[in-house]
Amino acid sequence: MAHDEHDHDHDHDDEHEHAHPHEPDEEARERAETEARRRLALAQIRQYGDPALRLIAHEVEDFDDDLRRLVDRMIMLMHEAQGVGLAATQVGVLRRLFVFEADEEGPRVIVNPVVVERGEETLTDDEGCLSLQGVKVPVERSTRVVLEGKDPNGEDLRLELDAYGSRVVQHEIDHLDGVLIIDRTDDEHRKEALATLRPRAVLR
Ligand SMILES: [Zn+2]
């Protein structure tokens, strides 16, 4: 899932500018490097039109070093792409796991996640996706979910999430079933999104 653009809007008042420890040149260089890393990460994430995004992922059976290496790579890609969640299908691995970072708790991972409880209350809000660049559509989600699954070592894991975290994990679980945000939005927004995505899908 993609970061909300609002998160990048910082107020640049004079006081803040003067307090900044970096020279303007260095700041510009760092910004350019962060942007280059974001583009490199996105190039490694499957984009709309890629069949992997529409396939159903299989349960993970082996909790081995390969799995832990995959998790490390997914967390790195999520960070560099400036996302808040990334499912294995988005890197072309059809296994049921995803990483996410919805709050200050840092990056988290769940393998073979299952929704065991879903709150009745729902909320509709805009969502983006690292695989659907330039698209943001309203999606209705439960404001509270409880997931059960495993950690990368095969130990039982239970996650209780509300608010933003609940939205993020429902988005990522959808990826494991080949479901995208354009499937969850209304007709009008779907049409708009497809108009944004189609030219790029053809040019691939
Ligand atoms: Zn996504």
Side-chain angles (χ1 to χ4, degrees):
M1 189 162 159
H3 229 295
D4 197 290
E5 274 157 28
H6 297 118
D7 294 349
H8 299 292
D9 290 341
H10 300 294
D11 286 329
H12 284 289
D13 52 57
D14 281 345
E15 207 179 325
H16 181 254
E17 290 294 329
H18 291 155
H20 207 286
H22 297 302
E23 297 294 321
D25 283 1
E26 194 184 338
E27 245 181 75
R29 191 189 56 76
E30 274 176 19
R31 258 203 308 276
E33 192 179 313
T34 303
E35 178 58 15
R37 281 188 186 282
R38 189 180 73 88
R39 285 173 180 279
L40 276 172
L42 285 171
Q44 293 175 70
I45 294 171
R46 303 296 178 103
Q47 296 300 314
Y48 182 75
D50 190 306
L53 295 173
R54 288 309 198 175
L55 296 174
I56 294 176
H58 311 286
E59 294 260 309
V60 171
E61 281 158 14
D62 300 321
F63 293 82
D64 54 12
D65 286 344
D66 283 348
L67 178 70
R68 288 180 282 274
R69 266 193 292 273
L70 172 64
V71 167
D72 289 346
R73 178 167 169 253
M74 285 169 61
I75 290 172
M76 188 201 74
L77 282 175
M78 173 178 72
H79 282 157
E80 295 197 337
Q82 297 168 22
V84 291
L86 186 67
T89 45
Q90 290 179 279
V91 293
V93 177
L94 302 179
R95 292 288 167 190
R96 301 193 77 83
L97 72 141
F98 65 82
V99 299
F100 70 107
E101 185 163 2
D103 48 38
E104 294 78 33
E105 276 204 43
R108 290 189 274 180
V109 53
I110 184 163
V111 182
N112 298 340
V114 176
V115 176
V116 293
E117 274 180 58
R118 189 185 289 275
E120 276 177 28
E121 191 192 327
T122 63
L123 186 71
T124 299
D125 203 357
D126 280 356
E127 279 183 29
C129 178
L130 293 175
S131 296
L132 279 73
Q133 287 172 56
V135 166
K136 197 160 273 192
V137 292
V139 179
E140 185 181 11
R141 302 281 189 193
S142 301
T143 55
R144 181 177 179 275
V145 286
V146 179
L147 306 186
E148 282 181 4
K150 302 279 184 189
D151 73 11
N153 297 314
E155 302 294 331
D156 287 344
L157 186 65
R158 182 182 163 92
L159 298 176
E160 299 187 17
L161 296 142
D162 54 22
Y164 191 50
S166 175
R167 174 170 298 279
V168 172
V169 299
Q170 288 170 81
H171 176 118
E172 300 310 328
I173 283 187
D174 271 353
H175 272 303
L176 304 181
D177 294 321
V179 174
L180 302 171
I181 50 176
I182 49 171
D183 309 325
R184 294 249 185 234
T185 195
D186 56 72
D187 288 348
E188 189 192 333
H189 284 95
R190 183 181 308 114
K191 259 184 221 155
E192 220 172 277
L194 289 173
T196 304
L197 293 165
R198 258 191 207 116
R200 258 178 272 159
V202 171
L203 286 171
R204 275 178 65 87

